[in-house]
Amino acid sequence: MAVPPPLDANREDGHRPDYPPKTPPPPKKPVEPPRPEDATPGSVLVRPRLAARIANRRAANWTLENAPWTPAKAGQHVTAKLGEWGYRLTEDREASITAVTVLLARAALSDGGRRISLHLADQDHQALILVLSHQSGHSPEGGDLLREVTALGVVSCGTDTDQGDGGRRRWTLTDLGG
């Protein structure tokens, strides 16, 4: 009976390689990155930020860049969306709403961030226009902006700062008539 050839004693693993070499099969499911330890299944980790919460009414929002044309663009977005929602504004009312939006957007852009967020909601023939600057470290705002906005015939207006990230909210509530 023939004796099988001895294994090559000089090889590290002590066995002969297969010919041709076998390749491992591809994975059946892509590898999933490790999950954060403090997250529960189905939860999403969110860092705290200045945010607007508008619930139980129609709403729209836009993220706009810090550019010279942004305030005018913000005014166009607001009046166009109000038109889509069925509000037939007089020329004076539309000009007033556009002017209010331009003032709020210009003030938010003056904080120096790369972007602002514009939010619009309506309820009971009134519109909430809210502009968020996502920039901290700005100086306190005087009452000049609020006086200018109030002069344009708004129902209510205000500004506040988030203590967490320092961003500022500027908002106004205006009557849409009818």
Side-chain angles (χ1 to χ4, degrees):
M1 187 181 237
V3 177
L7 292 174
D8 186 3
N10 295 333
R11 287 194 45 93
E12 293 176 16
D13 56 2
H15 73 278
R16 234 176 41 171
D18 295 330
Y19 293 100
K22 291 184 181 177
T23 58
K28 294 183 180 185
K29 186 171 129 180
V31 178
E32 185 176 324
R35 294 179 182 234
E37 294 175 11
D38 57 343
T40 58
S43 70
V44 177
L45 293 178
V46 178
R47 67 179 195 163
R49 307 180 70 157
L50 183 63
R53 184 170 189 278
I54 300 172
N56 301 327
R57 59 192 51 89
R58 280 188 294 203
N61 59 47
W62 301 267
T63 301
L64 303 168
E65 63 184 325
N66 191 344
W69 57 83
T70 297
K73 192 173 186 179
Q76 292 169 356
H77 283 310
V78 168
T79 55
K81 185 54 78 173
L82 290 172
E84 284 179 30
W85 288 345
Y87 291 104
R88 302 294 170 235
L89 304 173
T90 64
E91 281 186 37
D92 292 341
R93 196 74 207 125
E94 186 173 324
S96 173
I97 290 171
T98 301
V100 165
T101 307
V102 166
L103 283 172
L104 295 176
R106 192 172 292 137
L109 291 170
S110 71
D111 287 347
R114 292 186 309 169
R115 64 184 174 87
I116 62 170
S117 298
L118 170 65
H119 300 265
L120 173 68
D122 76 321
Q123 183 177 3
D124 300 328
H125 298 285
Q126 291 184 330
L128 170 68
I129 303 167
L130 177 109
V131 180
L132 303 172
S133 72
H134 302 277
Q135 183 66 28
S136 61
H138 44 73
S139 61
E141 190 162 68
D144 293 339
L145 173 69
L146 298 180
R147 278 191 279 283
E148 288 180 59
V149 170
T150 305
L152 293 169
V154 300
V155 174
S156 180
C157 63
T159 180
D160 63 343
T161 303
D162 179 30
Q163 299 303 321
D165 72 354
R168 186 177 288 161
R169 261 186 294 248
R170 294 165 177 93
W171 57 271
T172 184
L173 186 65
T174 186
D175 192 17
L176 298 173

